[in-house]
Amino acid sequence: MAKVFISWSGKSTPSFCVAERICEALKLVFHNNEFFFSDHIQKGTFGVQQIFENLSEAKVGIFCVTKANILKPWLNFEAGAITCAVLKNSGCAMPLLIDITKDDFALSASPLAKFQATCLNDTSDMLRMMNDIAKATGADISEKDMEKYYHRLVEPELAEIDINVTEEPTINQSFVTTTFVTDELTKDAKKLLKALYNDYAAERSLGSSISEAADFNDIDEICRLSSMSVDDIRELFDTLSNLGYLKYDSDDNFNMVFGKLTDKGIKYGEDNFYEPTYIILLREIIKQYNSRKAYVPSDRFKNFSSDDFSVLKSKGYIDMTKYLNGNFVVKPTDSGIAEIVMRDE
């Protein structure tokens, strides 16, 4: 039995109303699947834990997106978590757009924007989404039958939803221009600069001088940090260099790079990408855990204070187990991994 996770943000909003109705309607169509809608959490239980358990098991995640909630922390927190889950489970994440166009959604800062979106008011789009759910969950339903189920079971439920419920927006119609058009950096240039700055901040936390930490030369490491290809980085290096954020020299094949973040690049990172030391520690824990697939000894993180570990523990971002000699081992939790996924979007 495959699990479908339905996410929303804001009680008594169009996002909640659509999530509630779509959950009930899809249950009638995919009756062999299990649906999780966070309003169904049992009283007296730890809600966040239930959400994580269901996220980790989901084959499909449906996110009910509006102009008002597109940048809300909780929706995007769940988005980051389910991104990890669906990739692990070979599933899919499906943003369901309620009152926002696909063009505006694609240009938004939401981590969900990288997924193929569906418009609630487009019947053919909704049918494609339902057929994709069938494929992801292994439901044996033909496209002809799916169309019949949609008109008989889903459309009547959606028709009762009032998507004009008053909701204070997080963004307005000008959010695309404000976020992207007026900034001198493109989205990809920001992504690369953030990767370089995060590496700089990590080096600084380990005691390197400003000058030492600002240097970079390993193109493979830059590709890994930014999830970009060498060709992408070559072009963006030129852009960032022309804007004064970094300086670099390379050989003809771009295999060896000698570069440095400039004062302007570091200042931009401090103003826009600042991360507290406990987040830098969390990144390092995740990195070492992924290479070991096991708890990591605390003595590998001697440059971080015990306060950083305490913060991560209090936020539920790591699990810690003590040795008999007073040392301990750590590993990231699902919520810790989700936090980094969200920050990297």
Side-chain angles (χ1 to χ4, degrees), residues 40-307:
H40 297 165
I41 293 173
Q42 183 179 353
K43 300 296 185 185
T45 61
F46 184 33
V48 174
Q49 181 179 346
Q50 277 201 42
I51 288 172
F52 272 119
E53 289 174 356
N54 283 277
L55 275 170
S56 65
E57 298 168 359
K59 289 285 287 186
V60 175
I62 299 174
F63 296 85
C64 298
V65 181
T66 67
K67 292 176 186 176
N69 75 6
I70 190 171
L71 298 180
K72 289 288 181 68
W74 184 249
L75 185 78
N76 289 297
F77 172 73
E78 290 184 344
I82 206 168
T83 297
C84 297
V86 297
L87 290 176
K88 180 180 71 175
N89 299 332
S90 299
C92 51
M94 300 178 172
L96 181 57
L97 309 184
I98 298 171
D99 62 353
I100 181 173
T101 68
K102 286 186 178 181
D103 287 343
D104 282 354
F105 179 66
L107 291 173
S108 75
S110 170
L112 287 168
K114 64 185 176 182
F115 295 105
Q116 188 69 35
T118 299
C119 288
L120 181 71
N121 60 359
D122 186 328
T123 297
S124 62
D125 224 11
M126 290 292 292
L127 283 170
R128 282 196 295 272
M129 184 186 80
M130 292 177 64
N131 282 311
D132 286 342
I133 294 173
K135 292 175 185 176
T137 60
D140 186 17
I141 304 175
S142 68
E143 292 189 8
K144 183 177 180 180
D145 285 340
M146 190 68 77
E147 184 173 2
K148 179 175 65 177
Y149 293 151
Y150 176 77
H151 291 302
R152 287 184 181 177
L153 303 174
V154 179
E155 244 181 359
E157 288 285 343
L158 300 182
E160 297 183 19
I161 300 171
D162 179 11
I163 66 170
N164 297 311
V165 177
T166 301
E167 189 175 1
E168 183 179 349
T170 298
I171 57 174
N172 55 35
Q173 282 304 113
S174 65
F175 79 97
V176 175
T177 301
T178 301
T179 306
F180 297 101
V181 178
T182 60
D183 199 302
E184 62 181 353
L185 292 177
T186 65
K187 187 176 181 180
D188 284 341
K190 283 184 179 180
K191 180 180 178 182
L192 178 58
L193 185 56
K194 181 177 182 178
L196 292 171
Y197 177 78
N198 285 344
D199 189 56
Y200 161 84
E203 291 294 324
R204 288 284 288 148
S205 72
L206 297 175
S208 297
S209 67
I210 292 176
S211 179
E212 290 172 333
D215 288 339
F216 56 85
N217 54 44
D218 188 337
I219 192 65
D220 291 331
E221 177 68 4
I222 297 168
C223 288
R224 186 190 67 77
L225 289 170
S226 61
S227 302
M228 292 181 174
S229 69
V230 171
D231 288 340
D232 290 335
I233 291 173
R234 184 199 306 266
E235 182 178 343
L236 291 171
F237 269 13
D238 288 338
T239 299
L240 292 172
S241 179
N242 291 336
L243 292 171
Y245 291 105
L246 59 85
K247 296 178 180 179
Y248 79 100
D249 292 307
S250 67
D251 65 13
D252 292 339
N253 295 320
F254 206 68
N255 293 327
M256 182 63 72
V257 174
F258 300 93
K260 179 184 286 286
L261 282 174
T262 63
D263 290 342
K264 180 180 178 181
I266 294 172
K267 179 65 165 58
Y268 188 93
E270 291 172 345
D271 291 342
N272 295 275
F273 309 133
Y274 170 75
E275 293 185 330
T277 55
Y278 70 82
I279 290 296
I280 297 173
L281 170 59
L282 179 59
R283 287 184 183 281
E284 187 61 25
I285 291 173
I286 291 173
K287 178 181 176 181
Q288 295 206 28
Y289 175 77
N290 286 340
S291 68
R292 295 165 56 91
K293 298 301 180 185
Y295 277 90
V296 185
S298 60
D299 57 12
R300 289 174 174 257
F301 312 106
K302 292 179 179 178
N303 292 294
F304 294 91
S305 73
S306 59
D307 289 342

